[in-house]
Amino acid sequence: MTDFSALVEEAHSAFANTQTPAELENAKALFLGKTGKVTELMKGLAALSVDEKKTRGAAINVAKQAIEAALQQRRQELADQELQAQLASEQLDVTLPGRRQSAQGGLHPITLAQERIEAIFASMGFDVADGPEIESDWFSFTSLNNPPNHPARSMQDTFYVDAVGADGNYYNLRPHTSPMQVRYAQAHVRKHGGDFDIAKNQLFAGDMPEIRVIAPGRTYRVDSDATHSPMFHQVEGLWIGEAVSFKDLKAVYLNFITQFFETNALKLRFRPSYFPFTEPSAEIDIMFESGPLKGRWLEVSGSGQVHPNVIRNMGLDPERYIGFAFGSGIDRLAMLRYGVSDLRQFFEGDIRFLSQFQ
Ligand code: DAH
C-alpha cells in the first residue's frame, strides 16, 4: 500500500481546524512529531526488504512533503489573520477627543487685577509705565517733597540697600510707586524738548502733550500682618496739564472704580488728608450700595493736587503746569474684588487658593 493521500487529507483538515499557532503546533505533532503518524510509518520501513523500502519510502516522503507544505500554508494563514486582527484593533479613531493636560497654569490674582487696571486706564488714554524697584533716595523721597526727617525715611519703615550709589545716593526698595511720577514726567519733558536744569531752576514752560500715566508695580515696607505684607503692589496715577483739576481726578477715579468692580452701585468720597507731595491731599473712599460690603466706607487710595515743588522736580514750571496724582493699593483692590480676607493668602503660593481664580 503506497497511497497516502488519505493521510495527507487528514492532516489538511486537522490543520485547517486549528485557530491559533499553538493549536497548529499540537496538530503538527500528531503527524510529524516523535510518535506522529508519519514518523511511525518511517519506523515501519525497517522491517521491509530493500525494494519495498524504496517504493514505500518514496511514497511516505511525498506524503510527508505534502503535509509539511500544508502545515506551512496554515502557519502563514494564521499569521496573516493575526496581523489583520491587530491592524483592526489598533486603528486610529480620529474622531476621539484629544487628551487634555490635567492641570493648567494660570495668572496670579494680583496679575489679573493689575492687567484689569491697566486696560481700564489705557481706555482713558493713560500710558502704562514700569520703573525700578531699587530706587534712589532722591526719587523715593527728596523729589517728592519729603523733608529729610520725615518718618517714612526711617529704617523702621523702609528697606535700605547696603550700598551708596555712584551718584552719592542711598538706595532703597521703593516704599511706594510715587517716584515713577517724577521719573516718567522728566522723561516726557525731555522727549518734548524740555532742556531743564532743576538745580538752576531752569524749568520747562513750553508746549507739550499732557502727561497721563499709570505706573503699577511691586513696593516694599517693613510691615507684616493680615492686611500688610513686606512686599505689596501699588498703582500710581498722574495727569499733568494746564487746567487739570480735582474734578478730573474724581471723574477718572469714579470711572475706574465702577469698571473695576463692574457696578454703578457705589459712591466715592474725598476725605482731607496729608501727603508731602500733594497740596491739597485727600484719601479716596468708596462705598458699595449692594453686595456683602454694602454700606461701609472703604479707603482705596491716596490722592491730591501735585505739589509745586514736585512739579519743579519734574522739570516743569509750576506757573504753567498743574495736575493730580493718586496711589492705590492693588492688593487691597484685588481683595475687595475677589472677597479675600487675608492679604497673606496671595503670597503663600497655595495652589488650592490660587486655582480658584482661573
Ligand atoms: N505714595 C502714597 C503712599 O504710598 C500714596 C499716594 C498718596 C500717592 C497721594 C499719590 C498721592 O500719588 O497723590 O501711601
Side-chain angles (χ1 to χ4, degrees):
M1 204 204 77
T2 53
D3 182 9
F4 298 106
S5 55
L7 182 63
V8 174
E9 219 16 71
E10 190 190 337
H12 249 293
S13 58
F15 296 163
N17 277 334
T18 62
Q19 295 308 323
T20 64
E23 280 175 27
L24 180 60
E25 293 316 305
N26 287 339
K28 169 196 162 186
L30 292 179
F31 299 92
L32 304 172
K34 258 188 205 157
T35 57
K37 293 184 177 179
V38 177
T39 319
E40 292 302 330
L41 286 174
M42 296 288 213
K43 285 181 192 160
L45 290 178
L48 301 179
S49 70
V50 175
D51 276 354
E52 280 174 322
K53 265 184 195 159
K54 247 192 190 163
T55 44
R56 193 174 161 81
I60 292 172
N61 259 332
V62 170
K64 188 182 177 194
Q65 279 165 16
I67 290 170
E68 278 171 346
L71 174 70
Q72 202 44 48
Q73 192 192 337
R74 186 63 187 153
R75 271 187 183 142
Q76 192 57 52
E77 281 170 11
L78 288 178
D80 288 350
Q81 265 176 31
E82 196 177 21
L83 182 65
Q84 289 308 322
Q86 197 182 358
L87 287 176
S89 73
E90 287 178 6
Q91 217 166 41
L92 185 68
D93 183 352
V94 293
T95 67
L96 283 175
R99 291 206 181 96
R100 273 157 219 269
Q101 259 188 319
S102 53
Q104 244 177 328
L107 294 178
H108 190 280
I110 298 296
T111 308
L112 291 173
Q114 184 174 320
E115 290 191 343
R116 199 174 166 75
I117 292 166
E118 291 175 7
I120 295 168
F121 278 100
S123 80
M124 291 189 269
F126 279 71
D127 195 6
V128 178
D130 206 6
E133 288 171 29
I134 298 176
E135 187 54 282
S136 74
D137 189 65
W138 192 81
F139 276 112
S140 281
F141 299 117
T142 313
S143 74
L144 293 167
N145 202 36
N146 262 81
N149 55 354
H150 192 276
R153 297 182 103 127
S154 83
M155 304 256 281
Q156 278 94 1
D157 287 322
T158 299
F159 290 108
Y160 281 88
V161 175
D162 237 2
V164 182
D167 53 3
N169 256 301
Y170 286 99
Y171 278 74
N172 52 60
L173 300 185
R174 64 177 182 187
H176 52 181
T177 43
S178 301
M180 279 305 292
Q181 289 186 32
V182 180
R183 276 189 182 276
Y184 183 89
Q186 285 192 349
H188 179 92
V189 174
R190 286 209 176 86
K191 189 167 142 193
H192 295 286
D195 183 18
F196 56 88
D197 186 337
I198 293 163
K200 292 183 187 151
N201 210 28
Q202 289 169 348
L203 303 170
F204 184 74
D207 294 329
M208 64 163 198
E210 289 188 341
I211 295 170
R212 226 181 286 174
V213 67
I214 61 162
R218 275 187 284 269
T219 46
Y220 304 85
R221 272 180 216 176
V222 185
D223 219 348
S224 187
D225 59 39
T227 51
H228 296 91
S229 150
M231 186 282 302
F232 58 108
H233 299 80
Q234 283 192 341
V235 56
E236 196 73 14
L238 179 69
W239 185 353
I240 302 286
E242 287 173 68
V244 182
S245 75
F246 251 87
K247 81 174 191 292
D248 300 304
L249 169 59
K250 182 169 185 181
V252 163
Y253 212 87
L254 188 60
N255 184 36
F256 159 59
I257 217 77
T258 53
Q259 286 196 58
F260 185 80
F261 289 109
E262 293 177 277
T263 177
N264 286 316
L266 53 75
K267 287 200 174 85
L268 184 150
R269 78 174 179 193
F270 290 110
R271 187 162 37 87
S273 185
Y274 172 78
F275 298 101
F277 31 91
T278 44
E279 181 58 38
S281 306
E283 303 285 353
I284 303 177
D285 300 336
I286 59 168
M287 184 174 76
F288 294 97
E289 290 166 340
S290 62
L293 296 164
K294 177 182 169 179
R296 270 167 46 210
W297 284 109
L298 308 159
E299 185 183 313
V300 288
S301 190
S303 68
Q305 183 176 300
V306 181
H307 194 287
N309 288 347
V310 178
I311 297 275
R312 242 179 238 112
N313 288 330
M314 291 172 174
L316 289 168
D317 182 354
E319 295 296 327
R320 177 162 183 187
Y321 288 104
I322 192 165
F324 67 75
F326 62 83
S328 315
I330 297 179
D331 316 274
R332 177 130 174 88
L333 289 169
M335 282 171 82
L336 293 173
R337 181 175 159 86
Y338 297 123
V340 174
S341 54
D342 190 329
L343 173 71
R344 289 170 291 199
Q345 288 192 288
F346 282 134
F347 309 123
E348 275 166 2
D350 187 332
I351 206 79
R352 291 168 303 177
F353 172 76
L354 296 174
S355 61
Q356 296 176 89
F357 300 92
Q358 304 316 317

